[in-house]
């Protein structure tokens, strides 16, 4: 097993857990109780709030803050300067504290594009893709591609990241999907 690597300019508060093979680059701050799985990459200037949970194989690019109440499941990708919030009605003189934060869940394999904003209290479904610069104001179903401000459905994406055609077929890898309330994967023909 490969030990975790932490750049000397990064700060890890008490109780932080890092999985094997994880790399934490320059100027990161992992706050008390944050947990990062195996073989993750945290780019320069990443902040993980207290108690944040990050799964295995996650890639968080430069300048991303994952605030308390946000959970990233396995194989999530967060593009540079993606933004998460944890309070829908913030006011400086009326702080709510952790009890007032709305939990946000980013499910397995989802992609959050560069400079996208995810409002608190939402779920981004498995293998969904949020385009760069999108502002997500409602839940995103599994495999859905959303873009714009506010983010709107633009189609469906394969697990490999390519857009599906009208028959829910991936021209890149050959996977075939079928719509039944939720999008489900079927083996290659």
């Amino acid at each position: 097993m490969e030990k975790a690597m932490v750049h000397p300019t990064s700060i890890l508060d008490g109780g932080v857990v890092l999985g094997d093979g994880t790399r934490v680059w320059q100027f990161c701050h992992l706050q008390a109780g944050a947990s990062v799985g195996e073989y993750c990459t945290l780019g320069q200037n990443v902040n993980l709030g207290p108690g944040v949970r990050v799964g295995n194989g996650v890639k968080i690019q430069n300048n991303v803050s994952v605030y308390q109440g946000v959970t990233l499941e396995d194989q999530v990708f967060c593009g540079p300067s993606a933004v998460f919030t944890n309070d829908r009605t913030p006011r400086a003189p009326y702080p709510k504290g952790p009890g007032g934060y709305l939990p946000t869940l980013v499910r397995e394999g989802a992609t959050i594009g560069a400079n996208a904003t995810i409002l608190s209290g939402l779920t981004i479904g498995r293998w969904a893709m949020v385009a760069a610069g999108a502002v997500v104001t409602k839940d995103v179903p599994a495999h859905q591609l959303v873009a714009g401000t506010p983010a709107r459905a633009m189609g469906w994406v394969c697990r490999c990241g390519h857009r599906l055609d009208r028959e829910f077929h991936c021209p890149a890898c050959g996977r075939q999907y079928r719509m039944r309330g939720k999008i489900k994967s079927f083996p290659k023909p």
Side-chain angles (χ1 to χ4, degrees):
M1 295 212 177
E2 183 182 341
K3 284 184 143 186
M5 184 282 296
V6 178
H7 192 276
T9 61
S10 289
I11 300 169
L12 276 63
D13 293 346
V16 169
V17 176
L18 295 179
D20 290 332
T22 288
R23 295 174 296 174
V24 179
W25 293 102
Q26 295 93 329
F27 312 113
C28 294
H29 183 191
L30 282 58
Q31 296 180 43
S35 172
V36 181
E38 297 180 345
Y39 299 98
C40 295
T41 302
L42 278 61
Q44 175 178 296
N45 196 37
V46 168
N47 177 67
L48 299 184
V52 163
R53 297 286 175 253
V54 175
N56 298 318
V58 172
K59 291 185 177 13
I60 304 175
Q61 300 292 299
N62 297 351
N63 306 312
V64 176
S65 291
V66 183
Y67 293 114
Q68 187 172 11
V70 177
T71 299
L72 306 177
E73 290 187 346
D74 294 347
Q75 300 176 13
V76 166
F77 178 88
C78 295
S81 301
V83 176
F84 292 93
T85 68
N86 61 6
D87 186 347
R88 289 263 180 137
T89 57
R91 294 285 194 199
Y94 303 103
K96 294 175 189 72
Y101 297 154
L102 297 173
T104 299
L105 176 60
V106 182
R107 304 298 307 263
E108 177 189 12
T111 293
I112 310 298
N115 292 302
T117 300
I118 312 299
L119 295 187
S120 60
L122 302 178
T123 297
I124 308 299
R126 286 181 175 87
W127 305 103
M129 187 171 287
V130 175
V135 177
V136 180
T137 60
K138 59 184 179 178
D139 291 344
V140 177
H143 291 272
Q144 191 167 70
L145 168 64
V146 297
T149 305
R152 292 183 177 88
M154 303 300 285
W156 302 97
V157 291
C158 181
R159 181 181 176 128
C160 75
H162 287 86
R163 199 166 182 169
L164 301 177
D165 65 21
R166 291 180 182 199
E167 287 77 39
F168 297 103
H169 172 263
C170 178
C173 74
R175 282 188 182 92
Q176 183 69 49
Y177 295 81
R178 193 174 347 179
M179 181 66 88
R180 267 196 237 139
K182 293 182 188 178
I183 195 161
K184 298 188 180 194
S185 177
F186 290 85
K188 291 182 184 181

